[in-house]
C-alpha cells in the first residue's frame, strides 16, 4: 500500500494564487530542482485553478515512484487564520522517478484547462473536481516482468 502525505497551503487572501503556486513549486522541487521549469511553465493555469478554489475540497495530487502527495488550499478566514495550514517541507522527494501532477478543475473549465496543460507538459493534467486520482500502488512497488515458473516450483 502506498503512503499518502497531505499538505495544506494558505491561499487568498493570505497570499494571491500565483504566490500560492510558487510556494507549492518550492516545496515540490526542494529535492528535484530539474522539475521546477516544467512546473513553472503551468503557473498561469495553476494560479487560475487555485483562484477558482478548485483545491479547497479536492486535492492537487502528486504521484511518483514513492509517496503520494495531496495538496489542498485554505481560503477566506481559514487562510487568514492559518491554523489548519501545513506548508512544511517534505521529508522525501515528491517528484521521484516517473512523477505526475493532477489538478482538480471545475467541470465547465475542464476542456480548456486540459488542452492548455497538454501544450505545456505530458506529466501535468487536470481532472473534474468530482473525480479522484486512482488509488494505486506506487510504480516502484509493482514488480516488472515477474513470472512464475510453475514446473520449476513444483519440481517437475
Amino acid at each position: 500500500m502506498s503512503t499518502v502525505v497531505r499538505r495544506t497551503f494558505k491561499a487568498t487572501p493570505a497570499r494571491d494564487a500565483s504566490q500560492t503556486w510558487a510556494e507549492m513549486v518550492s516545496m515540490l522541487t526542494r529535492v528535484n530542482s530539474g522539475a521546477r521549469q516544467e512546473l513553472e511553465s503551468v503557473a498561469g493555469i495553476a494560479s487560475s485553478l487555485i483562484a477558482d478554489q478548485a483545491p479547497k475540497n479536492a486535492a492537487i495530487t502528486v504521484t511518483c515512484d514513492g509517496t503520494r502527495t495531496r495538496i489542498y488550499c485554505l481560503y477566506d478566514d481559514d487562510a487568514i487564520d492559518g491554523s489548519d495550514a501545513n506548508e512544511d517541507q517534505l521529508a522525501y522527494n515528491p517528484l521521484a522517478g516517473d512523477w505526475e501532477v493532477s489538478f482538480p478543475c471545475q467541470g465547465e473549465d475542464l476542456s480548456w484547462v486540459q488542452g492548455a496543460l497538454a501544450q505545456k507538459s505530458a506529466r501535468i493534467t487536470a481532472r473534474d473536481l468530482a473525480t479522484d486520482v486512482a488509488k494505486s500502488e506506487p510504480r516502484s512497488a509493482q514488480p516488472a516482468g515477474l513470472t512464475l515458473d510453475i514446473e520449476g516450483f513444483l519440481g517437475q
Side-chain angles (χ1 to χ4, degrees):
M1 171 162 276
S2 65
T3 303
V4 178
V5 172
R6 178 185 175 128
R7 289 293 181 263
T8 306
F9 282 77
K10 296 177 283 187
T12 56
R15 63 170 69 103
D16 69 34
S18 62
Q19 291 170 327
T20 304
W21 177 243
E23 290 295 322
M24 291 177 188
V25 169
S26 179
M27 178 196 66
L28 292 170
T29 60
R30 184 180 63 86
V31 176
N32 183 353
S33 61
R36 180 177 291 276
Q37 183 176 0
E38 193 168 351
L39 292 171
E40 288 175 343
S41 76
V42 300
I45 303 162
S47 296
S48 175
L49 295 170
I50 291 168
D52 283 346
Q53 298 191 12
K56 181 176 183 177
N57 296 312
I60 297 169
T61 305
V62 182
T63 55
C64 66
D65 288 346
T67 301
R68 178 178 297 226
T69 308
R70 298 176 66 82
I71 304 171
Y72 295 88
C73 289
L74 298 172
Y75 296 91
D76 306 318
D77 290 341
D78 293 330
I80 293 170
D81 174 49
S83 61
D84 291 331
N86 178 357
E87 300 179 6
D88 296 340
Q89 289 295 328
L90 300 166
Y92 60 92
N93 178 1
L95 304 175
D98 189 19
W99 60 271
E100 295 177 0
V101 175
S102 175
F103 285 99
C105 182
Q106 301 287 345
E108 62 270 11
D109 296 330
L110 188 58
S111 180
W112 81 259
V113 169
Q114 287 176 330
L117 288 172
Q119 293 177 2
K120 304 279 186 182
S121 171
R123 296 177 187 252
I124 305 171
T125 60
R127 67 186 190 285
D128 189 276
L129 276 172
T131 306
D132 196 11
V133 175
K135 295 179 180 174
S136 61
E137 292 296 311
R139 290 174 197 91
S140 62
Q142 296 175 352
L146 182 65
T147 59
L148 177 61
D149 178 2
I150 295 177
E151 290 180 6
F153 178 75
L154 296 174
Q156 297 177 349

